[in-house]
Amino acid sequence: MILETKKTVFDQLDGQDVMRYTLVNDHQTRISVLSYGGTWQEFVVNEDGVEHPLIWGLDNMTDYQRVGYCLCQSIGRVAGRIGGAKFKIDDQSYQVDMNEQTHSLHGGNHGFNTLNFEGAFSQTNDSVSVTLKKHINASDDNYPGNMDVAIKFTLDNQDQVSIAFTGDTDAATLFNPTNHVYWNTTDDRISLAQQKLQITSAAHLEFDDEKVPTGKKLAVKGTAYDFNQAQPVEKALDQLKTENGGIEFDDAYEVAPSAAEPIAIVGDTDDKRQVKIYSDRNSLIIFTANPFDADKEDAHQYNALATEAQTLPDAINHPDFGDIVLRPGAPVTHTIRYQYERLN
């Protein structure tokens, strides 16, 4: 067994050390996690002695702050948008940060991605983990309830990464976290032309002009949004532009939660490698971007594909989207799992 853990100072931010926790398995597959923002900084696999990165990461906090895009950060208390930045729990109305147009996005101004967590390693015979913990007061982020949150990243000897988010509260609140991971599993990582995507889904959500769900679900069959058969993302973007003038994917798919069947698969068109994504919740958001080059982003030349597994966005305002209320004495854990597979 050559499972390894390593803790180093990654950088400093606002006078605080940002720690980097690295987990390595028997195959020399490696992930690194930063204490700041619960950021998944590395997912590197070893293919015949050659290291291959699967996700996008940066080398210092200055770049993370400059680039933004919630790059591979942990998102909460609530991922995605809350229409009007308001909601009700048990007939009590709440207003949270209106940090994008007239809605709340990704937990507001003081979401999980702005926090510096405390981390600790643990290990089994077959896996290594780091758990990031933080106590969040209601006054910190303007959500009801003081919350204890734990984010556990685990790498096992089957080249599987799992992220388990646990929330515990002293008053009814909302809890719908995710990791905003950005993929490029191709050899050259220049574009999304060779980046394949498959999503098992019959419907995606209709959005208003602010990308807040209207409540309507739209069939994907026969449209550019249909990824039931794997296809290159760039090809689908071309189809989207032809269909409706769309310039990006920033869309929420309805999926069937499953520990046995992947909700989605990302891979390369040369069929060298793929990552299967499993989730215990009913939605996958995809987002195409180029976080590193503003000119290419403006020209819609993307090199990163984000996947955000969560409950359907704005669920608190749509009764049929799923229950994201967290209650006292009933802690909840949500898990996303990523299975790397070498194909040839």
Side-chain angles (χ1 to χ4, degrees), residues 55-168:
I55 67 174
W56 287 109
L58 298 168
D59 295 329
N60 56 71
M61 288 309 303
T62 300
D63 284 348
Y64 274 105
Q65 296 294 95
R66 175 181 56 80
V67 165
Y69 280 79
C70 297
L71 191 74
C72 297
Q73 292 178 325
S74 294
I75 303 298
R77 303 183 187 192
V78 177
R81 294 170 174 86
I82 298 177
K86 59 189 177 183
F87 55 88
K88 285 185 177 181
I89 303 176
D90 303 331
D91 292 324
Q92 174 73 42
S93 295
Y94 297 97
Q95 181 80 45
V96 290
D97 295 348
M98 194 179 284
N99 63 319
E100 187 185 79
Q101 296 174 277
T102 66
H103 57 265
S104 182
L105 176 66
H106 290 335
N109 294 317
H110 304 281
F112 293 176
N113 63 309
T114 69
L115 305 178
N116 202 16
F117 291 79
E118 291 291 326
F121 291 120
S122 57
Q123 190 165 338
T124 70
N125 288 335
D126 193 48
S127 69
V128 279
S129 303
V130 60
T131 302
L132 306 177
K133 291 186 176 182
K134 192 78 172 176
H135 177 76
I136 303 168
N137 293 314
S139 57
D140 294 337
D141 63 0
N142 296 322
Y143 274 84
N146 304 307
M147 176 182 283
D148 287 303
V149 61
I151 308 171
K152 184 177 184 180
F153 289 79
T154 300
L155 171 66
D156 68 18
N157 276 329
Q158 288 70 53
D159 295 326
Q160 182 171 247
V161 177
S162 66
I163 309 176
F165 299 86
T166 300
D168 197 4

Side-chain angles (χ1 to χ4, degrees), residues 41-52:
Q41 191 240 349
E42 282 189 314
F43 186 5
V44 177
V45 295
N46 191 301
E47 297 176 344
D48 300 325
V50 178
E51 288 194 341
H52 191 89

Side-chain angles (χ1 to χ4, degrees), residues 25-26 28 58 61 69 129 138 143 154 162 200 236 276 282 291 300 342:
N25 74 5
D26 288 0
Q28 294 301 295
L58 298 168
M61 288 309 303
Y69 280 79
S129 303
Y143 274 84
T154 300
S162 66
T200 303
K276 293 178 176 176
N282 67 357
H300 320 308
R342 176 106 181 253

Side-chain angles (χ1 to χ4, degrees), residues 41-326:
Q41 191 240 349
E42 282 189 314
F43 186 5
V44 177
V45 295
N46 191 301
E47 297 176 344
D48 300 325
V50 178
E51 288 194 341
H52 191 89
L54 303 177
I55 67 174
W56 287 109
L58 298 168
D59 295 329
N60 56 71
M61 288 309 303
T62 300
D63 284 348
Y64 274 105
Q65 296 294 95
R66 175 181 56 80
V67 165
Y69 280 79
C70 297
L71 191 74
C72 297
Q73 292 178 325
S74 294
I75 303 298
R77 303 183 187 192
V78 177
R81 294 170 174 86
I82 298 177
K86 59 189 177 183
F87 55 88
K88 285 185 177 181
I89 303 176
D90 303 331
D91 292 324
Q92 174 73 42
S93 295
Y94 297 97
Q95 181 80 45
V96 290
D97 295 348
M98 194 179 284
N99 63 319
E100 187 185 79
Q101 296 174 277
T102 66
H103 57 265
S104 182
L105 176 66
H106 290 335
N109 294 317
H110 304 281
F112 293 176
N113 63 309
T114 69
L115 305 178
N116 202 16
F117 291 79
E118 291 291 326
F121 291 120
S122 57
Q123 190 165 338
T124 70
N125 288 335
D126 193 48
S127 69
V128 279
S129 303
V130 60
T131 302
L132 306 177
K133 291 186 176 182
K134 192 78 172 176
H135 177 76
I136 303 168
N137 293 314
S139 57
D140 294 337
D141 63 0
N142 296 322
Y143 274 84
N146 304 307
M147 176 182 283
D148 287 303
V149 61
I151 308 171
K152 184 177 184 180
F153 289 79
T154 300
L155 171 66
D156 68 18
N157 276 329
Q158 288 70 53
D159 295 326
Q160 182 171 247
V161 177
S162 66
I163 309 176
F165 299 86
T166 300
D168 197 4
T169 185
D170 61 1
T173 189
L174 303 186
F175 188 58
N176 186 20
T178 192
N179 187 276
H180 205 309
V181 58
Y182 286 77
W183 303 94
N184 192 316
T185 64
T186 70
D187 279 345
D188 63 23
R189 311 190 87 211
I190 291 171
S191 73
L192 297 179
Q194 279 77 50
Q195 178 66 68
K196 279 201 307 190
L197 173 65
Q198 187 271 328
I199 306 173
T200 303
S201 171
H204 70 109
L205 296 186
E206 180 183 71
F207 289 154
D208 67 16
D209 290 343
E210 292 192 17
K211 298 182 180 177
V212 174
T214 65
K216 188 175 180 182
K217 298 173 184 177
L218 305 174
V220 302
K221 189 172 183 181
T223 74
Y225 300 95
D226 190 349
F227 286 96
N228 281 284
Q229 300 297 319
Q231 62 172 312
V233 177
E234 206 164 276
K235 180 182 174 186
L237 282 163
D238 290 341
Q239 185 182 347
L240 185 68
K241 187 175 181 180
T242 300
E243 274 183 18
N244 60 24
I247 58 171
E248 64 180 3
F249 285 105
D250 189 359
D251 291 279
Y253 286 80
E254 186 174 35
V255 299
S258 177
E261 296 295 328
I263 61 168
I265 304 172
V266 294
D268 65 303
T269 56
D270 292 331
D271 288 331
K272 292 184 178 179
R273 63 193 68 87
Q274 66 183 19
V275 178
K276 293 178 176 176
I277 304 172
Y278 300 82
S279 174
D280 56 13
R281 287 173 291 167
N282 67 357
S283 183
L284 183 75
I285 284 72
I286 64 167
F287 175 51
T288 50
N290 188 327
F292 320 106
D293 188 320
D295 290 338
K296 288 185 177 179
E297 171 74 16
D298 288 344
H300 320 308
Q301 297 171 11
Y302 304 127
N303 65 350
L305 171 70
T307 63
E308 306 153 66
Q310 58 171 86
T311 301
L312 285 163
D314 202 26
I316 189 62
N317 293 315
H318 301 276
D320 61 332
F321 278 15
D323 183 8
I324 62 168
V325 176
L326 180 69

